[in-house]
Amino acid sequence: MKRALSLTAVAAVGMALAACSGSPTGGASAGTSAPPAAAGTATSPSGSVSTSAPTISSPSPPAKAASPSTSASAAPKSAPAQFTRTTLYSGAAHPDDLAFDSSGRLLFSDYTNGTISRLNAAGSVTVLHRGLAGPEALVPLADGTLVVAEEKTNRIVAFAPGSGTAHLLRTMPGNPTLVECHQGTDGIAWDPTTKSLVIPDAPTGTIYRLSTDGKTLTQVASGFTHPVGATVAPNGTIYVADECGGDVWRVTAGGGRAQVAPASMPDDVALDGFGNIIVTDVRHARHSVTRTNLRTGATTTLASAGLVEPQGLVIAAGGAIIVSDDIADVIIKLTPRG
């Protein structure tokens, strides 16, 4: 969700990033920041949206691969206690949600500029798609299709492999506005057990399941205030960030919910593979990345300094945590140490 930011907070961003060596709070240790990257050039035409949707098979997204700067080493056997923080991107773009493509390259949406871009190995940016109405969540499918949530229109659109024009998959039921906590769909998650998309309809507070051809929409749960980010465990358990209701919730088999992680305004969530859930919190008083053990409830702050509105979140090979901040205009990486 895009939130109004005071001039004082905006001015503080540059000071915080300049003064901070990149040291996260809590269990993370400082690393060095990479120099700012230059923006790349557009490689595709304007992404205008058509309503004629070609037939899509029911693929599953590729396994998460390493990002260009992620080591291919095997993931640790237990949750890391310390991290080294580096900056993967700092520039003119406003990186929002994150995803890996089939080649392990990092993609990010830019709500402000209406674009989808790729972060290259050298730190430059290539714009892949333009003309979207507030793009947020990204889900690459195994056949090369890229599914995108448009927050301003409350629509789910998709780019077929090699296409620069999006086609409409589904218009979600809610009526979005630009008023805080009433905006449109923000998050999408992939359910590997049903090979379908899990979509929180933020304006109505309802969680839906959508087939990859966009034809079948099924209600899963309701009663949330403004659900945004979501993730699905390998066993099909759904976790949802209720940005304006607070906290992160597990959706039960009967459609109920159980609180699993504390947060003030959680935006995105990801499972780290060690029994923890990682959460970005966009509340300006917290602006943090936290980790909560799903068994014990113990919560640790992994990063906060220099962040203003941490949004997108992905877990890379080796257990590295990659986070975007669309106000500080950075993408950071927390790499496990030891």
Side-chain angles (χ1 to χ4, degrees):
M1 179 184 71
K2 298 298 150 289
R3 307 178 62 234
L5 189 64
S6 68
L7 293 177
T8 301
V10 172
V13 176
M15 296 175 60
L17 290 172
C20 175
S21 63
S23 174
T25 58
S29 299
T32 57
S33 295
T41 57
T43 60
S44 69
S46 173
S48 59
V49 179
S50 69
T51 57
S52 56
T55 302
I56 302 176
S57 58
S58 299
S60 60
K64 287 181 178 177
S67 68
S69 58
T70 302
S71 169
S73 59
K77 295 181 180 180
S78 59
Q82 294 184 316
F83 296 85
T84 296
R85 172 171 164 170
T86 54
T87 300
L88 298 181
Y89 173 80
S90 177
H94 305 287
D96 201 303
D97 280 351
L98 304 172
F100 290 118
D101 68 11
S102 59
S103 298
R105 296 172 299 187
L106 190 65
L107 307 179
F108 66 87
S109 59
D110 184 330
Y111 172 97
T112 303
N113 292 311
T115 56
I116 305 297
S117 299
R118 180 180 68 234
L119 182 64
N120 302 314
S124 64
V125 168
T126 300
V127 177
L128 303 176
H129 303 293
R130 295 182 180 274
L132 292 158
E136 290 279 357
L138 310 170
V139 174
L141 303 182
D143 68 348
T145 298
L146 179 64
V147 181
V148 181
E150 274 193 336
E151 185 177 282
K152 291 181 180 179
T153 62
N154 213 43
R155 300 190 302 181
I156 307 302
V157 301
F159 292 91
S163 174
T165 301
H167 62 267
L168 178 65
L169 278 186
R170 189 85 181 202
T171 298
M172 299 301 291
N175 295 315
T177 72
L178 296 181
V179 177
E180 184 171 308
C181 295
H182 294 279
Q183 298 97 327
T185 294
D186 185 303
I188 311 174
W190 176 255
D191 186 345
T193 64
T194 60
K195 298 190 181 338
S196 63
L197 301 162
V198 172
I199 303 174
D201 184 37
T204 65
T206 305
I207 313 303
Y208 289 98
R209 189 182 306 281
L210 179 66
S211 60
T212 55
D213 61 7
K215 295 179 180 179
T216 304
L217 187 69
T218 306
Q219 181 174 315
V220 176
S222 61
F224 292 90
T225 301
H226 190 261
V228 287
T231 191
V232 183
N235 65 359
T237 300
I238 299 170
Y239 296 89
V240 176
D242 193 345
E243 188 174 46
C244 297
D247 299 328
V248 176
W249 303 81
R250 180 175 59 242
V251 177
T252 63
R257 61 180 185 172
Q259 192 263 7
V260 295
S264 182
M265 290 190 78
D267 187 86
D268 206 356
V269 290
L271 299 169
D272 70 354
F274 303 108
N276 304 300
I277 192 162
I278 313 298
V279 182
T280 54
D281 196 322
V282 298
R283 176 73 72 185
H284 293 145
R286 298 184 66 165
H287 49 70
S288 61
V289 181
T290 61
R291 179 176 67 187
T292 297
N293 186 291
L294 291 171
R295 183 178 60 85
T296 67
T299 298
T300 303
T301 299
L302 302 181
S304 181
L307 298 176
V308 181
E309 192 166 287
Q311 300 249 359
L313 181 64
V314 289
I315 309 298
I321 302 168
I322 300 178
V323 182
S324 62
D325 188 317
D326 74 338
I327 296 295
D329 298 340
V330 298
I331 299 175
I332 66 169
K333 177 182 175 185
L334 305 177
T335 304
R337 296 175 58 191

